[in-house]
């Protein structure tokens, strides 16, 4: 099935609220568990970079999983960054800095990060190299990179089936966003091609009926 791009930013307030309130417990929990296994450094005390942080759930989960860490969390949507600032506890806000910025042009406070992670951003990007180039720009030698995203199903019926399976009880706006995100997602071969083009020798693995998990160490 041909890819159908969706708007890059999530700026509509109703959309932001629906996304923030949605039940992502299982995929977000699994994201952090897999990331912890890959990083293998419970005492990590540096600064990590979260690209396309949305309402900040993954940024907060990371900060809790690594209590000595700091996080720079970036999103191009003002509505998302405002939501993060309002909803994150005062304690976590001492360690998480929410930054309004658009990939790939964003200028970040540090020139390099030890850990870079990103969930559900890639499928939003009209030019996927935007993500891989930012990762390359802000990596140092040995930076651990973890990216999770949706995979595009092979037909519209499969996409509809995934929405029914995983978002049946969610509001209509979320079901619609999930459906269009599936249609906008990249396939495994497309992601592998993007990485080859970017010169990144990362490991790409399908981990569920709708998710791809990508890990790598910057050269
Ligand atoms: C589906 S949400 C994922 C949010 C979060 N990472 C999570 O897993 O809950 C994707 C986010 O990426 C942001 N985004 C999309 N394109 C972007 C770009 N070019 N630069 C910065 N943020 C972008 C959107 O505004 C949205 O908040």
């Amino acid at each position: 099935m041909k890819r159908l791009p969706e708007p890059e930013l999530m700026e509509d307030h109703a959309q932001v609220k629906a996304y923030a309130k949605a039940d992502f417990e299982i995929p977000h929990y699994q994201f952090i568990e897999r990331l912890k296994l890959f990083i293998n450094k419970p005492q990590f005390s540096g600064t990590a970079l979260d690209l396309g942080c949305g309402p900040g759930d993954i940024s907060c989960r990371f900060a809790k999983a690594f209590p000595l860490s700091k996080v720079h969390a970036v999103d191009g949507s003002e509505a998302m960054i405002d939501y993060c600032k309002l909803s994150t506890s005062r304690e976590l806000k001492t360690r998480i800095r929410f930054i309004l910025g658009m990939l790939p042009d964003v200028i970040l406070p540090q020139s390099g990060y030890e850990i870079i992670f990103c969930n559900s951003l890639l499928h939003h990007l009209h030019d996927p190299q935007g993500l891989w180039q930012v990762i390359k720009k802000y990596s140092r030698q040995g930076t651990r990179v973890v990216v999770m995203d949706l995979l595009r199903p092979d037909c519209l019926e499969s996409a509809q089936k995934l929405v029914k399976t995983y978002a049946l009880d969610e509001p209509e706006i979320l079901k619609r966003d999930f459906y269009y995100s599936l249609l906008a997602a990249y396939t495994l071969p497309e992601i592998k091609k993007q990485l080859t083009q970017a010169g990144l020798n990362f490991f790409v693995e399908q981990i569920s009926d709708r998710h791809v998990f990508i890990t790598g160490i910057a050269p």
Side-chain angles (χ1 to χ4, degrees):
M1 178 174 63
K2 205 167 170 285
R3 174 171 189 261
L4 181 70
E6 65 173 350
E8 287 206 345
L9 297 182
M10 295 174 71
E11 296 185 287
D12 178 76
H13 285 276
Q15 184 188 34
V16 169
K17 203 170 156 201
Y19 190 85
K21 299 278 171 224
D23 181 6
F24 290 120
E25 177 56 33
I26 295 173
H28 288 190
Y29 171 79
Q30 285 176 351
F31 178 85
I32 294 293
E33 288 307 299
R34 283 176 180 273
L35 179 149
K36 276 175 12 193
L37 267 180
F38 178 66
I39 304 292
N40 194 21
K41 212 175 170 190
Q43 299 306 315
F44 172 71
S45 60
T47 305
L49 175 63
D50 180 4
L51 295 170
C53 64
D57 182 55
I58 299 251
S59 329
C60 292
R61 285 176 190 254
F62 180 94
K64 287 178 192 159
F66 296 91
L68 305 176
S69 69
K70 292 207 166 82
V71 182
H72 288 171
V74 186
D75 203 284
S77 157
E78 202 166 351
M80 283 293 188
I81 293 294
D82 287 348
Y83 185 92
C84 291
K85 289 180 179 166
L86 283 175
S87 63
T88 304
S89 73
R90 198 176 298 173
E91 194 277 312
L92 282 179
K93 270 196 290 196
T94 60
R95 295 194 287 122
I96 307 175
R97 179 164 165 191
F98 293 106
I99 299 164
L100 179 64
M102 194 69 190
L103 271 70
D105 302 323
V106 61
I107 306 288
L108 294 167
Q110 284 187 195
S111 58
Y113 293 85
E114 283 170 69
I115 298 175
I116 301 179
F117 60 93
C118 167
N119 181 52
S120 258
L121 169 66
L122 181 62
H123 70 269
H124 280 273
L125 299 180
H126 298 165
D127 176 7
Q129 286 304 323
L131 173 62
W132 307 121
Q133 295 310 323
V134 167
I135 287 175
K136 278 172 78 171
K137 181 173 171 188
Y138 286 99
S139 291
R140 305 170 178 152
Q141 194 181 13
T143 294
R144 289 334 194 230
V145 179
V146 176
V147 175
M148 186 165 88
D149 216 285
L150 293 169
L151 283 171
R152 188 165 80 249
D154 44 15
C155 61
L156 295 178
E157 291 71 30
S158 305
Q160 284 155 5
K161 214 170 142 195
L162 287 170
V163 175
K164 273 197 188 143
T165 308
Y166 296 107
L168 190 65
D169 298 327
E170 299 287 1
E172 275 314 310
I173 189 169
L174 199 88
K175 284 187 201 160
R176 188 205 63 192
D177 276 359
F178 182 34
Y179 179 67
Y180 284 109
S181 290
L182 286 165
L183 305 192
Y186 293 97
T187 61
L188 277 182
E190 284 167 352
I191 294 171
K192 287 181 182 167
K193 204 168 152 196
Q194 293 164 17
L195 288 165
T196 306
Q197 212 179 320
L200 291 168
N201 186 20
F202 287 176
F203 183 64
V204 182
E205 187 188 4
Q206 177 162 359
I207 55 161
S208 80
D209 53 2
R210 61 203 187 287
H211 288 116
V212 57
F213 200 76
I214 303 155
T215 45
I217 302 179

